[in-house]
């Protein structure tokens, strides 16, 4: 499939991308990711390997579009973890009763 990444044309094939990523350890996923084989790779890492360009030269969207077109499963950035609910103030039990019986 012909695609343009960082203003450069590339002819990419699914088996070539799989072969290029074989033996490469996936980095921790913090943004968009792609599943190649049974591994989850950051899209920017895959783009760097298949284009041999610096990650700053292309966007994740460009690589995601190309990899989706080849039939790979791409996932959006994970949602941020919800913040814990603020702690409510609880009444402190008193050691001595306040009323006399």
């Amino acid at each position: 499939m012909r695609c343009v990444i960082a203003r450069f044309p590339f002819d990419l094939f699914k088996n070539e991308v799989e072969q290029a990523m074989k033996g490469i350890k996936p980095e921790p996923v913090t943004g968009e990711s792609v599943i190649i084989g049974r591994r989850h790779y950051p899209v920017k890492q895959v783009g760097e390997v298949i284009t041999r360009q610096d990650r700053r030269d292309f966007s994740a969207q460009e690589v995601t579009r190309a990899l989706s077109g080849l039939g790979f499963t791409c996932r959006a950035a994970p949602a941020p973890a919800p913040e814990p609910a603020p702690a409510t103030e609880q009444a402190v039990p008193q050691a001595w009763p306040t009323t006399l019986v």
Side-chain angles (χ1 to χ4, degrees):
M1 178 182 132
R2 189 152 182 93
C3 61
V4 176
I5 299 174
R7 299 184 312 264
F8 291 98
F10 292 94
D11 287 319
L12 298 176
F13 298 97
K14 186 172 184 172
N15 61 344
E16 291 177 351
V17 173
E18 291 170 338
Q19 199 68 2
M21 296 308 293
K22 195 175 214 175
I24 295 179
K25 183 179 177 184
E27 297 172 358
V29 176
T30 57
E32 297 179 18
S33 65
V34 61
I35 301 172
I36 299 177
R38 293 182 299 192
R39 295 181 171 187
H40 294 258
Y41 291 93
V43 170
K44 289 278 208 167
Q45 180 184 10
V46 176
E48 184 177 44
V49 171
I50 63 177
T51 65
R52 296 184 186 95
Q53 294 179 345
D54 191 88
R55 295 177 191 202
R56 296 172 288 183
D57 294 339
F58 54 84
S59 69
Q61 184 180 10
E62 290 176 302
V63 180
T64 300
R65 189 180 315 118
L67 294 174
S68 295
L70 291 173
F72 290 105
T73 303
C74 297
R75 295 196 173 160
E83 293 185 23
T88 57
E89 292 183 28
Q90 296 178 352
V92 177
Q94 294 182 359
W96 300 99
T98 56
T99 58
L100 295 174
V101 180

